[in-house]
């Protein structure tokens, strides 16, 4: 690890007033919204991270990040949400049984209430990644949130599809880790654990199968997600410093969310984890059932080399075209993998302008 960039830094966003808004969900978790404000705008953007990451993926200082790109292109009121999957909180490394239903029902409605108190009835555009994208779309399609002017989903949304090897890992991995290895989470920093501890041994074992680079955190990320060497991104799309500090960007994560994803993959689209759980009665058992009624336009970013969720967004777009022809858009991203559309050295050239164009067409 040679990088000297501070962890959890806000230095990647210049010339903006930064305000943090702590808030609580109805099921008792403290979360945060961070606002980057240059001037009030009729179109407000909310950024939603994925599992293992945090709001940091949108504000990284070593390259032109998404938050800064939005601020510089007329979207002068940008918010970043850290919800219960965030690497900035301890919740995801605890032994828990949270599901994406909990996030859809509790996290996003609470966040939007806080946001609305500050901005009133101005338009809100959401940009979401990975399981943040899945769970936010669940919240929207399940009726827990409304009033969203547009939604951009990177890599995956309501129809998760994964490589064959990932299906195998999803079937056996969570139980093996919890009940055999004895760990309720997996951490890219296992490579720095004390010698002969469980984390250290796991890291060395995983690295035996990854000779594509020397970063153990990168190897563990590939073990956590997808099937590839590497699985999460294309190496050539990252700056060296970004690759070196991958454990800052993609942190430790709990295992139970993987069980919910496995159930969705088996069902063919996003479904409720436990239909008999009365706490989630307000949500549909099948989140696709009202797809034709959703008026919010979606932009589905489909990385061409997605080794985590393969053609998930391509497939979802085909289903949406049947439900609501012409309402939603698909943007294939040549040469990109799962995460590098957000953290790539050239994302501000190849990816971000497509998002800005979509927001402009559905805003002022």
């Amino acid at each position: 690890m040679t990088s000297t960039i501070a962890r959890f830094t806000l230095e990647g966003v210049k010339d903006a007033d930064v305000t943090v808004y702590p808030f609580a969900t109805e099921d008792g978790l403290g979360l945060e919204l961070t606002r980057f404000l240059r001037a009030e705008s009729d179109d407000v953007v909310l950024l939603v991270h994925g599992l293992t990451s945090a709001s940091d993926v949108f504000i990284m200082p070593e390259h032109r990040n998404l938050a800064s790109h939005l601020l510089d292109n007329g979207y002068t009121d940008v918010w970043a949400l850290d919800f219960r999957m965030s690497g900035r909180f301890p919740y995801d490394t605890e032994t828990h049984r949270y599901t994406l239903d909990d996030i859809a029902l509790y996290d996003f409605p609470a966040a939007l209430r806080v946001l609305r108190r500050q901005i009133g009835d101005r338009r809100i555009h959401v940009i979401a990644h990975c399981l943040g994208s899945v769970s936010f779309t669940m919240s929207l399609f399940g009726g827990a949130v409304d009033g969203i002017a547009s939604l951009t989903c990177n890599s995956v949304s309501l129809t998760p599809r994964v490589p064959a090897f990932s299906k195998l890992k999803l079937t056996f991995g969570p139980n093996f880790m919890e009940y055999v290895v004895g760990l309720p989470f997996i951490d890219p920093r296992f490579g720095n654990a004390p010698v002969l501890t469980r984390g250290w041994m796991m890291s060395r074992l995983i690295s035996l199968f990854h000779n594509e680079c020397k970063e153990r955190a990168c190897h563990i990320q590939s073990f956590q997600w997808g099937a590839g060497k590497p699985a999460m991104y294309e190496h050539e799309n990252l700056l060296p410093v970004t690759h070196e500090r991958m454990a800052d960007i993609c942190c430790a994560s709990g295992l139970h969310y993987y069980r919910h994803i496995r159930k969705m993959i088996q069902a063919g689209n996003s479904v409720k984890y436990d239909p008999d759980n009365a706490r989630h009665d307000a949500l549909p058992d099948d989140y696709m059932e009202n797809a034709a009624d959703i008026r919010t336009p979606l932009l589905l970013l489909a990385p061409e080399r997605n080794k985590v969720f393969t053609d998930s967004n391509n497939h979802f777009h085909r289903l949406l075209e049947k439900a609501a022809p012409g309402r939603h858009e698909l943007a294939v991203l040549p040469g990109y993998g799962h995460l590098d559309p957000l953290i790539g050295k050239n994302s501000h050239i190849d990816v971000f302008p497509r998002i800005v164009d979509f927001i402009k067409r559905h805003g002022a």
Side-chain angles (χ1 to χ4, degrees):
M1 190 76 169
T2 60
S3 169
T4 57
I5 292 176
R7 298 174 66 189
F8 307 137
T9 177
L10 300 176
E11 291 301 311
V13 183
K14 305 294 185 183
D15 303 321
D17 293 328
V18 180
T19 308
V20 176
Y21 295 84
F23 65 95
T25 64
E26 289 186 6
D27 66 333
L29 286 183
L31 308 180
E32 281 184 355
L33 279 161
T34 303
R35 186 183 196 180
F36 303 92
L37 178 66
R38 286 185 183 167
E40 291 191 353
S41 170
D42 289 337
D43 292 277
V44 176
V45 181
L46 174 64
L47 306 174
V48 178
H49 62 79
L51 181 62
T52 80
S53 59
S55 58
D56 301 272
V57 297
F58 304 113
I59 60 174
M60 294 164 58
E62 66 263 35
H63 64 84
R64 183 167 173 78
N65 57 65
L66 181 56
S68 294
H69 187 88
L70 290 164
L71 290 167
D72 290 344
N73 281 273
Y75 297 96
T76 53
D77 195 354
V78 176
W79 297 64
L81 171 64
D82 282 282
F83 63 102
R84 75 184 64 198
M85 284 183 178
S86 174
R88 291 192 172 208
F89 300 132
Y91 316 132
D92 205 24
T93 57
E94 298 170 352
T95 303
H96 69 73
R97 286 298 182 262
Y98 298 135
T99 66
L100 277 74
D101 300 312
D102 292 313
I103 297 168
L105 184 61
Y106 298 119
D107 293 18
F108 298 127
L112 287 168
R113 284 193 292 270
V114 173
L115 203 161
R116 283 292 182 198
R117 283 199 294 270
Q118 300 301 318
I119 70 165
D121 60 357
R122 284 179 277 161
R123 287 181 293 270
I124 297 175
H125 304 267
V126 178
I127 303 170
H129 169 65
C130 188
L131 297 194
S133 172
V134 176
S135 52
F136 193 91
T137 314
M138 289 165 57
S139 194
L140 178 65
F141 279 52
V145 301
D146 58 14
I148 304 301
S150 75
L151 170 60
T152 298
C153 300
N154 181 54
S155 181
V156 63
S157 190
L158 283 193
T159 57
R161 289 152 70 96
V162 300
F165 183 51
S166 296
K167 293 180 181 179
L168 183 68
K169 290 191 290 185
L170 287 168
T171 300
F172 299 106
N175 286 346
F176 179 81
M177 285 291 296
E178 285 189 343
Y179 298 111
V180 179
V181 179
L183 291 170
F185 65 94
I186 185 167
D187 189 348
R189 295 189 184 277
F190 279 164
N192 299 325
V195 175
L196 297 182
T197 59
R198 285 174 293 181
W200 183 92
M201 289 187 286
M202 173 175 290
S203 170
R204 268 57 184 178
L205 178 62
I206 291 170
S207 289
L208 289 176
F209 299 93
H210 288 273
N211 57 6
E212 69 272 19
C213 69
K214 296 181 180 180
E215 294 295 332
R216 296 192 189 278
C218 180
H219 305 165
I220 294 177
Q221 282 292 299
S222 294
F223 176 73
Q224 284 180 264
W225 293 101
K229 297 183 178 183
M232 286 277 281
Y233 36 72
E234 297 297 302
H235 274 145
E236 61 267 27
N237 290 339
L238 304 185
L239 290 172
V241 64
T242 301
H243 184 239
E244 289 168 4
R245 69 184 203 95
M246 190 50 59
D248 293 344
I249 302 159
C250 298
C251 307
S253 65
L255 300 169
H256 194 59
Y257 296 120
Y258 292 102
R259 295 186 175 100
H260 197 172
I261 291 297
R262 181 185 65 206
K263 185 167 185 178
M264 294 180 187
I265 291 167
Q266 291 171 339
N269 60 264
S270 294
V271 294
K272 191 181 290 182
Y273 182 74
D274 180 7
D276 296 326
N277 186 340
R279 293 192 335 145
H280 300 142
D281 282 349
L283 298 172
D285 291 347
D286 185 330
Y287 288 91
M288 282 292 292
E289 66 181 26
N290 296 317
D293 300 326
I294 303 302
R295 308 302 301 179
T296 299
L298 272 62
L299 172 63
L300 303 174
L301 301 178
E304 183 186 44
R305 300 180 186 176
N306 193 345
K307 301 170 188 172
V308 176
F309 286 110
T310 63
D311 65 340
S312 295
N313 273 352
N314 310 67
H315 177 65
F316 186 39
H317 185 255
R318 288 192 291 269
L319 297 180
L320 289 177
E321 276 295 281
K322 295 178 182 178
R327 184 176 302 162
H328 309 288
E329 300 180 28
L330 176 72
V332 176
L333 305 178
Y336 279 87
H338 170 69
L339 180 58
D340 36 328
L342 297 181
I343 67 171
K345 60 186 179 184
N346 292 321
S347 295
H348 64 288
I349 300 170
D350 302 328
V351 181
F352 299 167
R354 305 183 77 162
I355 300 173
V356 169
D357 174 70
F358 177 72
I359 294 175
K360 283 182 178 178
R361 288 187 283 109
H362 295 284

